[in-house]
Amino acid sequence: MKSTLGWIAACAATFSAAFAATPSHAQISDDTVKIGVLTDQTGLYADATGPGSVEAVRMAIADFGGKVAGKPIAMVDADHQNKADVGATIARRWYEQENVDVIVDFANSAVAFAVLEITKQKNKAMLVSSAGSSDLTGKACSPNSVQWTYNTYALANSTARALVKEGAKRWYFVTVDYAFGHALRNDAARTVEKLGGTVTGEVRHPLNNMDFSSFLLQAQGANADVVAFANTGGDLANSIRQAQEFGLARNHKLAAFLMQTSDIHAIGLPTAQGLQLTTAFYWDLDDKTRDFAQRFFAKTKKRPTMVQAGLYSAVTNYLKAVEKSGTDDGPKVIAQMKDMPIDDFFARNAYLREDGQLIHDMYLVQVKSPAESKGAWDYEKLVQVIPGKEAFATSEESACPLLKK
């Protein structure tokens, strides 16, 4: 009898241990891992993010098998209209009423900052791919969030450094007047001044601006080697196109800190040719990037931008962390991501730092001339691979309190 009881007890202990060791059991809230894609679906950033970002997340879920830790993966998406209050309202509804576990993408830094506050309040998670302010992993860093694809420091530092080394010492900035533009301009200016250059002036324009003539006239009269555009999306396309019409490039170098494949496609090679810029991803870099780009193109008829490719990578690694940790608890999943190896077609020589910044290789590229291009979407040529430790701010330079512990 005793031996039988002992055998039952041993079996029970073994079952209990196995039950507890199953990482997914009873730790996935609502028995579903739900991802909310919050992005600009109709505005000036829609080509670079928007429907393509939604498709990138859909691809990541499908490639993961549609389930994680034995539970289904669900997705919702919404357009924040580039309004911080709209984005915050959607985020709060998703967290409180629709059981969303993680919100991703963003496209707009002001929206990202608004959602970050709610994410911390609700102890959820957010994966930033297309909001660039370096403050998101600087003074506003959080255990609840990561910034995966790029930040303003990496873009501005790399491009400004390359141009100053070519002798372009005097800089004039055309800056979009909100958090992203201010961060981009400030990060670039610090690099310029650190290398012995000077900022000769600046003009700020409203978001989603159509007519840049007055701003460009001021830039034209400035004593500058470089006219630098601290904007992106439709604003960048309009400003570069009109700058060429004004003949600004005849006497100045034009610098575009955040120009993506979609922007070059919109502007056209005759206008964009020769521009140097920094990117986190180029679809034609190697076989791995081309494979993803071909699958993406089959669904969207477009090549992926760096933020769409980065979003796929971020969501995939988030799901791997959920699988490994057995939970969808926001900070726990983020912590697991920081402990995991990260290496895929997007993230090269990568690791997720304690401040939530993914450190990975960046690329200095030059826009091809029409004669160099082999056809549609063949727009960029590699100038230099920039190791992540050189592209991003160091831990010592960061204002993130998490790095000061």
Side-chain angles (χ1 to χ4, degrees):
M1 182 68 174
K2 287 183 179 179
S3 61
T4 301
L5 291 173
W7 178 81
I8 292 172
C11 288
T14 301
F15 178 77
S16 177
F19 193 73
T22 302
S24 62
H25 189 81
Q27 298 183 59
I28 302 297
S29 59
D30 308 298
D31 286 331
T32 302
V33 173
K34 197 168 187 179
I35 302 169
V37 186
L38 185 60
T39 191
D40 175 7
Q41 301 211 27
T42 55
L44 74 168
Y45 303 141
D47 283 345
T49 60
S53 287
V54 175
E55 185 56 49
V57 174
R58 190 177 289 118
M59 288 174 63
I61 293 171
D63 290 348
F64 209 82
K67 288 187 175 183
V68 59
K71 306 296 182 182
I73 306 167
M75 184 190 78
V76 292
D77 65 89
D79 183 356
H80 55 51
Q81 304 169 45
N82 287 300
K83 298 176 181 177
D85 58 339
V86 173
T89 298
I90 294 168
R92 189 173 295 279
R93 185 184 75 241
W94 277 355
Y95 286 148
E96 293 180 350
Q97 301 174 28
E98 299 184 29
N99 302 316
V100 168
D101 298 296
V102 57
I103 301 179
V104 305
D105 203 25
F106 296 101
N108 181 300
S109 291
V111 174
F113 282 116
V115 174
L116 177 57
E117 291 307 309
I118 300 169
T119 300
K120 291 188 293 186
Q121 291 170 18
K122 301 301 178 183
N123 209 34
K124 298 285 188 172
M126 57 185 278
L127 312 177
V128 179
S129 182
S130 57
S133 175
S134 54
D135 286 340
L136 285 164
T137 44
K139 60 186 179 183
C141 70
S142 164
N144 301 75
S145 62
V146 303
Q147 193 169 30
W148 198 262
T149 301
Y150 71 98
N151 68 18
T152 50
Y153 181 98
L155 296 179
N157 173 59
S158 302
T159 303
R161 186 176 296 276
L163 288 172
V164 172
K165 285 184 176 180
E166 290 178 4
K169 294 293 185 73
R170 299 187 305 275
W171 287 62
Y172 187 92
F173 288 90
V174 178
T175 303
V176 61
D177 195 10
Y178 83 106
F180 161 76
H182 302 165
L184 193 55
R185 179 265 182 214
N186 292 340
D187 285 332
R190 276 192 288 268
T191 296
V192 169
E193 291 168 348
K194 188 188 300 183
L195 296 175
T198 58
V199 176
T200 64
E202 176 187 17
V203 65
R204 295 185 177 185
H205 68 82
L207 183 67
N208 205 12
N209 191 61
M210 299 302 293
D211 183 4
F212 283 82
S213 56
S214 63
F215 307 116
L216 296 173
L217 282 171
Q218 294 179 63
Q220 199 169 36
N223 181 27
D225 301 316
V226 180
V227 176
F229 295 96
N231 55 17
T232 191
D235 283 335
L236 177 61
N238 286 331
S239 53
I240 291 289
R241 191 181 295 113
Q242 292 172 38
Q244 294 287 17
E245 292 170 358
F246 270 72
L248 209 62
R250 286 197 291 268
N251 300 310
H252 306 81
K253 288 182 179 291
L254 304 183
F257 296 117
L258 180 48
M259 175 176 276
Q260 301 195 60
T261 301
S262 56
D263 300 316
I264 301 172
H265 191 73
I267 297 170
L269 286 182
T271 300
Q273 63 180 311
L275 283 171
Q276 282 194 356
L277 55 113
T278 303
T279 183
F281 171 83
Y282 180 50
W283 73 267
D284 202 21
L285 186 66
D286 58 25
D287 288 343
K288 290 180 179 179
T289 59
R290 283 189 285 271
D291 175 69
F292 174 76
Q294 190 57 39
R295 295 196 300 119
F296 185 88
F297 187 83
K299 295 179 179 296
T300 65
K301 305 307 177 189
K302 297 178 180 180
R303 296 301 184 188
T305 63
M306 69 169 174
V307 297
Q308 291 161 348
L311 185 57
Y312 175 99
S313 172
V315 169
T316 299
N317 281 278
Y318 169 84
L319 293 173
K320 288 179 180 178
V322 172
E323 186 79 56
K324 190 165 185 178
S325 64
T327 181
D328 56 4
D329 177 90
K332 290 181 181 178
V333 178
I334 299 296
Q336 182 65 63
M337 293 174 75
K338 293 174 182 176
D339 285 340
M340 287 169 31
I342 297 168
D343 180 23
D344 56 29
F345 75 93
F346 170 81
R348 312 293 177 91
N349 302 308
Y351 62 95
L352 190 58
R353 202 164 58 185
E354 189 59 32
D355 57 356
Q357 180 65 59
L358 183 71
I359 308 298
H360 59 91
D361 290 349
M362 299 286 286
Y363 307 97
L364 184 67
V365 300
Q366 186 172 32
V367 180
K368 292 181 176 181
S369 68
E372 293 174 303
S373 175
K374 297 175 184 177
W377 301 103
D378 179 28
Y379 299 150
E380 297 157 62
K381 57 185 177 184
L382 181 65
V383 175
Q384 179 187 353
V385 177
I386 306 166
K389 290 182 179 180
E390 295 178 17
F392 293 88
T394 65
S395 297
E396 291 73 25
E397 292 173 303
S398 173
C400 174
L402 297 175
L403 293 174
K404 311 305 178 185
K405 291 181 179 180

